[in-house]
């Protein structure tokens, strides 16, 4: 789908400019071979291929991540770790390294658990020029210089702390709720978020089509197959008797 849309909206690209990575055989060749101008791959292949590491041989000016919500944190205890899988860390490292454009696309809301948004927001806030040590380029995000400290500060501000009642973290702080929802929305809208409702993009969507696919009853299919096999066996037996 992405390749089709690229050909539609970027018609000046040639077939050699676009690389779709479906397996390790499709991995782009490292320099001095010319790199593709645009590369499309999946989270699975991104995790497998070392050529696509953030510190690898390629420097991507722009990075676009579809279904970006899957890169969110999966733990409610930010002081332990970020809860990010290997593919999440790798993808977000590329987002941070992008010097031109970084887009994280998602149609899945995260209103009830903003902690899952932190890795995405921090990658956007601390990427590009903010990677340098010059304090004048440090983003208006969170003042802490360490990612772990920023994560804890974000949770204390927006993620509804409570005490765990059971398990090995019993009595510890757990951040699986939401506080100051309106303030968080204002921060997102003011810094990064571009929200488009369905009514805003309805004219750009393909026409709605309804197709009825009739499926056979699996039990009836098995009965017919058994009947055919029995009939074939019976026919073979009759032939043997005639011989």
């Amino acid at each position: 789908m992405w390749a089709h849309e690229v050909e539609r909206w970027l018609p000046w690209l040639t077939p050699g400019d676009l690389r779709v990575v479906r397996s390790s055989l499709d991995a782009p060749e490292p320099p001095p071979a010319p790199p593709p101008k645009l590369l499309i791959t999946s989270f699975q292949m991104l995790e497998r291929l070392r050529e696509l590491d953030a510190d690898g041989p390629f420097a991507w000016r722009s990075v676009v991540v579809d279904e970006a919500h899957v890169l969110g944190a999966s733990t409610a205890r930010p002081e332990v770790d970020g809860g990010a899988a290997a593919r999440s860390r790798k993808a977000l490292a590329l987002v941070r390294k992008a010097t031109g454009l970084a887009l994280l696309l998602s149609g899945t809301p995260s209103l009830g658990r903003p902690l899952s948004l932190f890795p995405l927001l921090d990658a956007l806030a601390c990427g590009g020029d903010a990677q340098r040590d010059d304090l004048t380029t440090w983003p208006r995000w969170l003042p802490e210089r360490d990612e772990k400290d920023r994560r804890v500060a974000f949770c204390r501000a927006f993620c509804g702390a409570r005490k765990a009642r059971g398990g090995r973290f019993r009595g510890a702080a757990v951040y699986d709720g939401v506080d100051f929802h309106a303030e968080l929305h204002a921060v997102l809208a003011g810094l990064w978020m571009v929200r488009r409702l369905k009514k805003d993009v309805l004219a750009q969507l393909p026409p709605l089509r309804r197709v009825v696919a009739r499926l056979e009853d699996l039990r009836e299919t098995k009965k017919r197959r058994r009947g055919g096999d029995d009939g074939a066996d019976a026919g073979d037996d009759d032939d043997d008797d005639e011989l």
Side-chain angles (χ1 to χ4, degrees):
M1 182 186 71
W2 273 96
H4 175 74
E5 293 299 321
V6 166
E7 293 175 353
R8 175 186 177 188
W9 296 102
L10 304 176
W12 58 84
L13 292 178
T14 65
D17 295 334
L18 176 63
R19 176 69 63 89
V20 180
V21 179
R22 297 185 178 90
S23 68
S24 57
L25 300 178
D26 301 323
E29 298 180 2
K37 293 183 179 179
L38 194 149
L39 184 140
I40 301 174
T41 188
S42 63
F43 288 123
Q44 184 179 16
M45 293 311 304
L46 177 65
E47 183 178 359
R48 289 183 179 181
L49 296 179
R50 295 183 178 179
E51 294 88 343
L52 302 181
D53 288 346
D55 56 353
F58 302 102
W60 306 109
R61 183 175 180 273
S62 300
V63 176
V64 179
V65 182
D66 195 12
E67 302 295 338
H69 59 273
V70 303
L71 304 179
S74 58
T75 180
R77 300 205 61 224
E79 70 277 9
V80 177
D81 58 49
R87 67 178 182 182
S88 300
R89 292 192 297 268
K90 194 168 182 178
L92 294 176
L94 291 174
V95 172
R96 286 188 175 92
K97 192 176 179 181
T99 58
L101 179 68
L103 290 178
L104 302 179
L105 311 178
S106 176
T108 302
S110 300
L111 302 178
R113 195 177 181 185
L115 174 57
S116 63
L117 292 174
F118 174 81
L120 285 68
L121 303 179
D122 197 63
L124 291 174
C126 302
D129 292 337
Q131 297 181 90
R132 300 182 300 183
D133 293 331
D134 184 4
L135 295 180
T136 60
T137 64
W138 191 248
R140 294 173 298 170
W141 167 227
L142 291 169
E144 289 80 6
R145 302 291 294 182
D146 184 71
E147 179 183 356
K148 181 179 178 180
D149 295 336
R150 291 195 302 272
R151 188 166 62 241
V152 173
F154 177 83
C155 289
R156 289 175 177 173
F158 300 112
C159 299
R162 66 175 180 84
K163 286 188 177 181
R165 296 182 178 180
R168 58 175 180 154
F169 298 125
R170 183 176 182 178
V174 177
Y175 300 90
D176 57 357
V178 56
D179 278 338
F180 304 105
H181 182 272
E183 288 79 357
L184 177 59
H185 184 273
V187 171
L188 298 181
L191 294 178
W192 308 288
M193 184 173 66
V194 179
R195 186 183 182 191
R196 304 184 70 189
L197 303 177
K198 185 177 180 179
K199 64 180 181 180
D200 300 327
V201 298
L202 196 59
Q204 304 175 18
L205 299 177
L208 179 64
R209 296 186 302 172
R210 288 185 171 88
V211 179
V212 178
R214 300 188 181 277
L215 303 178
E216 295 184 4
D217 190 341
L218 184 59
R219 292 171 296 182
E220 296 296 331
T221 303
K222 289 182 177 180
K223 288 180 180 179
R224 286 198 299 269
R225 288 181 178 176
R226 288 199 201 98
D229 293 341
D230 294 342
D233 294 341
D236 294 341
D237 293 339
D238 293 342
D239 294 341
D240 293 340
D241 292 339
E242 291 178 0
L243 289 175

